[in-house]
Amino acid sequence: MPPRVRQPRLQSTLPRPSIPPHQCQCVCQTRSRQFSSTSQHATRQRDDMFRWLNGPGSVFRQPLPGSTNYINAYDKGGNLIRARDMRAGENNGGGAEEKAESKEKDVDEGEVRDLEVDVETATIKHKKAQRPSRGATTNAVPLPKETAEDLMPFPMNRQFRSQSVLSEELKDAIYERVMVQGKSVRDVSAALGVEMRRVGAVVRLKAVEKEWESKGKPLATPYSKAVLSMLPQTPYIPNDPRVHESINDLPVHRATTLQLFQPVSETRHFDRRDAAQAFQRNLLPAEDRIPHRELYLMEKWRYEGVQRDERIQRMRERNEEDFWAKKEREDRRRERERTEVTKVDHGRSVFKFQDVKVDVRAGKDGRGPAGVGARYGVPHQDRKRGMIKIPTRVG
Amino acid sequence: MVLKIRLARFGKTNKPFYNIVVAHARTARNSKPLEVLGTYDPVPKPPPFEEGKPVKDIKLDTARAKYWLGVGAHPSDPVRRLLSMIGLMEPKYTVQKMRQTEMEQREAAQREEAVAALEGR
């Protein structure tokens, strides 16, 4: 059976004007396509889409400088809500309640199913208004900061809020502090309010970037700039660093995910240390498992009524102890390497001989997994289900 | 029976990895040895911090290796090459040795020539 051809409602025999492809083609074309088997509903949606793209949606083509480019920050007419509110506030002498109310209304209405309702009127309004938000920025009045409502890039997913990313200056500052000034990752993390793992990642990536620059490799700077200009960023203010994220979150230990009923006598003082032991015998209490233990200690001392100078003094001593312990560990490792490892330069490569004791780690039967060499009579586990094949540590 | 210190190839296709083993000379290459002395990874790894030459990793129990050499185990050529690098054995081939043997051969030839010349006269 041949495909059923729907009769078009409007037969246009007139020659079509030549319109550039990004302009609105479909408003005049889709209805008049003769052999299209597309349902009427779909073509209407296409019409609406193109009308939106050329009307209120055209504001997203050129992102506003210093602002995100998210759909929720704009109303149906393509006006930046917070710029409009700001102007309204100036005119009314600050009507906060009214502002909030109107905003809420806009957001509720702004759901996708309502989008098509009065796009027509919005287009006209838009043409009249000619991007008033841009006008606001040219008058050098800084835009207010995005609210939580503005940071929703996906209008259907109201749970997702776009989080700030590190600005380029902040990344540079992190690299500078760690690699040039030689501060510890922990200190830099606490000072700038960036998680330790992120500090490590920034330092590594910056090192790669600098290496590429020195080698003359091209960087995708325009791309990075374009993306960053549309995302919320954490700025770097040297004297007053902004907190980027929560740095002292307690990692969830697997043993603590159990629901546990522990009968305890009323007279017993049951603290976090006991709670940890109830979960698992060698589990450390929460305060020892958090990333920044020193911040906890400072707060604890303050709570105990220790004076500020005394607290700083204690922390200094603690830092010094840590430093020496770390140095000692490093020295011991170097010493071990010096005595155990022999390096022989042999032509194209270096042969690294490590002196080992074969019978110590292989266990009683000589077949322990920690023994040296490939084991005899022990099958490889690498094809087994659930085995991790990617390397989990850097050797 | 002769004891050998030799390499037993483990690893996968195109990914060689050797155990350095002490075994009887007539046993199969990958049969269970008397003792594993260590490992030899012949694939050079990129050097740490991208500095210097690539590195080949060898793990070796030198005390046990010395013991087996002491009781008369024969290292195979590749193992001898490795053991000579850390001074457990005399190397079989060195540039110096090659030059020396070459010189000796040349001298012997010259001597023979001289003898032949004397006899011919």
Side-chain angles (χ1 to χ4, degrees), chain A residues 159-316:
Chain A
Q159 308 305 316
F160 181 78
R161 302 285 154 93
S162 176
Q163 301 294 316
S164 294
V165 297
L166 300 174
S167 62
E168 211 52 47
E169 300 80 49
L170 186 51
K171 284 188 226 166
D172 283 333
I174 288 172
Y175 183 83
E176 162 87 15
R177 287 187 187 203
V178 175
M179 296 302 284
V180 181
Q181 298 175 12
K183 286 184 181 170
S184 71
V185 172
R186 187 178 298 276
D187 289 352
V188 174
S189 165
L192 298 179
V194 180
E195 216 192 333
M196 280 199 281
R197 282 178 299 177
R198 202 182 300 283
V199 170
V202 165
V203 170
R204 280 195 291 273
L205 287 172
K206 273 281 161 196
V208 171
E209 187 186 294
K210 290 199 190 305
E211 194 191 324
W212 281 18
E213 273 172 1
S214 69
K215 282 182 182 169
K217 273 194 181 181
L219 304 175
T221 319
Y223 170 75
S224 136
K225 268 187 188 163
V227 171
L228 278 179
S229 73
M230 288 187 274
L231 289 174
Q233 295 183 38
T234 309
Y236 174 56
I237 304 157
N239 301 324
D240 177 29
R242 298 290 155 87
V243 173
H244 177 68
E245 60 198 332
S246 157
I247 54 170
N248 221 359
D249 285 343
L250 175 67
V252 177
H253 193 277
R254 209 161 174 198
T256 61
T257 55
L258 295 171
Q259 191 180 20
L260 195 69
F261 294 96
Q262 177 86 354
V264 172
S265 69
E266 276 183 32
T267 51
R268 187 173 159 198
H269 183 69
F270 193 82
D271 59 8
R272 281 196 293 269
R273 202 164 289 276
D274 299 317
Q277 276 182 0
F279 279 124
Q280 204 180 54
R281 240 165 66 141
N282 296 326
L283 189 67
L284 293 171
E287 67 259 28
D288 292 347
R289 282 188 288 123
I290 50 172
H292 288 274
R293 186 153 188 273
E294 74 278 8
L295 298 184
Y296 154 77
L297 279 178
M298 286 290 259
E299 202 60 24
K300 189 183 166 206
W301 292 335
R302 198 176 64 85
Y303 184 73
E304 283 169 357
V306 181
Q307 291 301 309
R308 190 166 175 274
D309 296 342
E310 171 73 14
R311 287 197 314 254
I312 290 170
Q313 181 62 26
R314 279 192 198 179
M315 193 43 75
R316 242 180 230 147

Side-chain angles (χ1 to χ4, degrees), chain A residues 4-11 26-49 51 116:
Chain A
R4 198 170 50 171
V5 177
R6 189 187 288 270
Q7 279 295 319
R9 279 184 194 166
L10 239 150
Q11 293 278 357
C26 46
V27 173
C28 39
Q29 277 185 17
T30 46
R31 295 262 165 89
S32 60
R33 271 186 297 174
Q34 301 221 343
F35 298 106
S36 167
S37 59
T38 322
S39 70
Q40 201 62 42
H41 182 63
T43 47
R44 197 170 65 235
Q45 281 183 334
R46 273 178 70 80
D47 287 353
D48 292 343
M49 181 186 79
R51 210 173 292 139
E116 57 189 271

